[in-house]
């Protein structure tokens, strides 16, 4: 852990996890084993992070986000937690914790969120999905979806290797890198034939 990192004493940091310069890990956050928290990254109170997760430089992970195993959060990504943000109440008083209810983002196993993307409060990103750089994600993302744009929309399917899949006919897709086969049904994609190296 870098000496300049600000890690609350109540945070739980898994074995082998590295926290770089000027990163902040808030109270009651839980980080799994072998994670990398980049320079200037922020992990909010009680955020839950699985094993083998990378949170790149200057990413902001606001509570109560959940990042499952193998997730990648790119540089300067923001996972928001307030659907209707205001600094003050209707009476003009500064809002406090009692004046709002945080809604966290959930990022499922193996998914990746590209640099400078924004994910709106309460959204779930499916397993092995890929969010393109600069996207704004305002609704749930299915497993294996490649999302791009503002607002983000699905433009392709991706496999566990993260590369776009190739159609092979009859609603089936193949990963050009691993050879794994996937089936599409009702706008959902499932792995049908895993290939083990």
């Amino acid at each position: 852990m870098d000496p300049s990192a600000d890690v609350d004493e109540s945070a739980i940091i898994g074995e082998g996890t590295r926290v770089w310069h000027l990163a902040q890990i808030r109270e009651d956050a839980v980080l799994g084993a072998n994670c990398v928290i980049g320079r200037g990254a922020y992990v909010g109170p009680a955020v839950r992070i699985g094993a083998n997760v990378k949170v790149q430089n200057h990413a902001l992970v606001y509570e109560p986000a959940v990042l499952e195993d193998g997730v990648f959060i790119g540089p300067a990504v923001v996972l928001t937690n307030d659907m209707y943000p205001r600094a003050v109440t209707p009476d003009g008083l500064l809002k406090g914790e009692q004046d709002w209810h945080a809604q966290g983002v959930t990022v499922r196993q193996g998914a990746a969120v590209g640099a400078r993307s924004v994910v709106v409060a309460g959204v779930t990103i499916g397993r092995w999905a890929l969010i393109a750089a600069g996207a704004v994600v305002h609704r749930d993302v299915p497993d294996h979806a490649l999302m791009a744009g503002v607002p983000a929309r699905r433009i392709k399917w991706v496999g566990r290797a993260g590369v776009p899949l190739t159609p092979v006919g009859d609603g089936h897709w193949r990963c050009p890198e691993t050879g794994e086969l996937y089936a599409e049904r009702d706008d959902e994609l499932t792995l049908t034939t895993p290939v083990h190296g």
Side-chain angles (χ1 to χ4, degrees), residues 47 56 78 84 93-94 109 124 131 147 155 167 175 177 179:
V47 165
Q56 298 290 76
V78 181
Y84 306 104
L93 301 173
L94 186 65
Q109 178 187 11
T124 295
I131 309 302
M147 307 287 288
I155 60 170
C175 176
E177 187 168 314

Side-chain angles (χ1 to χ4, degrees), residues 22 24 45 61-62 97 106 122 135 138 155 171:
L22 304 174
Q24 184 178 16
V61 180
Y62 290 108
E97 286 184 30
T106 299
H138 71 287
I155 60 170

Side-chain angles (χ1 to χ4, degrees), residues 8-70:
D8 190 271
E9 62 184 22
S10 67
I12 297 172
I13 309 296
E15 185 176 348
T17 289
R18 293 173 285 165
V19 180
W20 290 100
H21 306 70
L22 304 174
Q24 184 178 16
I25 312 295
R26 295 283 304 274
E27 58 274 10
D28 301 317
V30 177
L31 284 68
N34 302 313
C35 295
V36 178
I37 307 300
R39 185 182 201 280
Y42 174 84
V43 176
V47 165
R48 298 291 182 257
I49 296 179
N52 303 313
V53 170
K54 289 187 175 183
V55 177
Q56 298 290 76
N57 296 354
H58 303 290
L60 305 175
V61 180
Y62 290 108
E63 70 282 357
V66 174
L67 311 181
E68 293 184 349
D69 293 349

Side-chain angles (χ1 to χ4, degrees), residues 68-72 107-112 126-130 159-160 162:
E68 293 184 349
D69 293 349
V71 162
F72 176 86
V107 184
R108 298 285 186 211
Q109 178 187 11
R127 295 176 316 116
W128 305 102
L130 177 59
R160 295 189 300 175

